[in-house]
Amino acid sequence: MVKLLELILSAEQMLLDEVAFPQPCFAARSAAALHRKVKESRIALLALRNATNNQYPLLAAVIASCFVFVWLKIHRFSCFRILNRNCQHHRRSVAASLVQGVYVLERDRQLNRQGPEVLAPPWWEFFHFELIRKLVDDADFSIFGAIFELKPLASNAPRFVIAFRGTVTTKESVSRDLTLDLHLIQNGLHRTSRSAIAMQAVQNIASAFRDSVIWLAGHSLGSAMAMLAGKNMVKNGIFLETFLFNPPYVSAPIERIKDKNVKRGIRFATSIITAGLAIALKPQQERPHSDDPFAILANWIPHLYVNPADHICSEYIGYFEHRENMEEMGVGSIEKLATRIRSAIYS
């Protein structure tokens, strides 16, 4: 019990340090179903869902998971008797918890927590995963990712999950992480040594276990790493299920404009100009559709979770709303052409 209280307190501190996922990963979506099965936790879970109200998603996920974890330990239940592996919300909860495990793994390293003092293992052991490898940055030796394996293997569940954390603002890793954030803004993240380590790790697992289900997951900077690794695998004909929490969207902060008409006008004009340039510079001989990297990449659809209050990723909301508006106006083909050009620039 003391261990779980320490876990809650550490996660609360992480929330204060602005390490938060975009939507309630466990509580708001799953509490209603869970309290029917866990009657003893009914009041606590309902109060939690109402109190958080989508504002503090990671804290909600942490506390709800701990309630369930304690109850399962007391009643000797397996977590798989409650989690529905076919439920998208539950799958998201697993992915988010493993990403959070990487954050805590790095924090354990920074604070030199050893043996019974470590706080990271419950984040993956609760779901029957084992940590088989830590992904370590070659510049500051921080843990930025991890490879987890499910044991024993279950149906409709991934055998491996490769998870990546985002930026950590503690003094031990902030310099390296902010440098990578700058590379991301400059569209140079794929040229960094950390991304090379990440993509090679994913490549090795995918090559060695071709018939196994593999997930990618990441938060913030880590979601950008997961996206790079996923794109790289798509080029090799391998499509990995991917969970992206608050992925950065590099663009002008149009979503922060309060006037909806102004926002729509800017996005419309941008699409027209981009598509016009594409037509003007269009080569005489187009490559076959089967060789078009954009067409191939379009078949890979990662799960995207975005926090509207996070300016780093909220532009995704405006982007998809703009696509719907363009389709309704009957000019969806213009936006598709503009998207192809943007994809070519940032790939």
Side-chain angles (χ1 to χ4, degrees), residues 12 17 32 39 74 107-108 113 142 148 180 203 226 228 231 266 272 287-288 304 307:
E12 288 177 333
D17 293 337
K39 293 182 179 179
I74 293 174
R107 193 60 178 157
D108 283 345
R113 291 193 285 240
S142 64
F148 303 99
L180 292 168
Q203 177 72 54
L228 281 175
K231 287 182 177 180
I266 293 174
I272 295 296
R287 70 180 72 191
L304 189 66
N307 181 357

Side-chain angles (χ1 to χ4, degrees), residues 3 7 21 23 27 43 64 76 119 141 154 162 176 195-196 205 246 260 288 291 312 316:
K3 182 74 169 180
L7 180 64
F21 286 109
Q23 296 291 337
I43 296 176
R76 304 182 187 280
L119 301 180
F141 305 105
I162 306 173
R176 174 61 170 167
S195 67
I205 290 292
N246 283 19
K260 291 185 178 180
D291 296 333
I312 294 176
Y316 273 106

Side-chain angles (χ1 to χ4, degrees), residues 254-290:
I254 301 174
E255 196 61 23
R256 298 179 66 177
I257 300 175
K258 295 183 179 181
D259 192 309
K260 291 185 178 180
N261 292 328
V262 173
K263 285 195 294 187
R264 289 181 179 179
I266 293 174
R267 295 189 189 281
F268 181 80
T270 302
S271 294
I272 295 296
I273 294 172
T274 305
L277 289 174
I279 295 173
L281 301 175
K282 185 178 180 181
Q284 294 181 353
Q285 189 69 28
E286 289 188 340
R287 70 180 72 191
H289 182 78
S290 59

Side-chain angles (χ1 to χ4, degrees), residues 106-122:
E106 167 59 12
R107 193 60 178 157
D108 283 345
R109 183 195 71 85
Q110 293 179 1
L111 298 178
N112 196 29
R113 291 193 285 240
Q114 304 288 336
E117 295 181 348
V118 298
L119 301 180

Side-chain angles (χ1 to χ4, degrees), residues 75-223:
H75 295 276
R76 304 182 187 280
F77 268 76
S78 164
C79 66
F80 288 111
R81 293 187 62 175
I82 284 184
L83 288 177
N84 179 359
R85 293 186 296 277
N86 293 318
C87 174
Q88 187 58 43
H89 301 310
H90 291 180
R91 292 160 71 86
R92 178 184 63 185
S93 297
V94 173
S97 294
L98 296 182
V99 172
Q100 180 60 24
V102 180
Y103 274 108
V104 185
L105 200 59
E106 167 59 12
R107 193 60 178 157
D108 283 345
R109 183 195 71 85
Q110 293 179 1
L111 298 178
N112 196 29
R113 291 193 285 240
Q114 304 288 336
E117 295 181 348
V118 298
L119 301 180
W123 288 101
W124 57 81
E125 290 178 349
F126 175 69
F127 299 105
H128 293 184
F129 280 92
E130 293 184 8
L131 174 65
I132 63 172
R133 181 187 169 189
K134 302 173 185 176
L135 301 181
V136 179
D137 191 288
D138 62 349
D140 65 353
F141 305 105
S142 64
I143 300 170
F144 71 88
I147 303 176
F148 303 99
E149 183 176 7
L150 181 64
K151 293 183 178 181
L153 189 61
S155 60
N156 299 326
R159 179 173 179 179
F160 297 99
V161 177
I162 306 173
F164 305 96
R165 66 165 175 82
T167 302
V168 174
T169 57
T170 54
K171 63 180 181 179
E172 294 85 353
S173 57
V174 64
S175 177
R176 174 61 170 167
D177 285 357
L178 290 180
T179 298
L180 292 168
D181 289 335
L182 182 59
H183 281 295
L184 173 64
I185 294 172
Q186 297 173 336
N187 191 33
L189 185 62
H190 60 287
R191 292 189 289 268
T192 63
S193 58
R194 181 182 290 189
S195 67
I197 295 171
M199 288 192 285
Q200 188 61 57
V202 174
Q203 177 72 54
N204 291 344
I205 290 292
S207 299
F209 302 93
R210 285 189 170 272
D211 296 329
S212 298
V213 177
I214 302 170
W215 285 4
L216 300 178
H219 172 247
S220 192
L221 175 62
S223 67

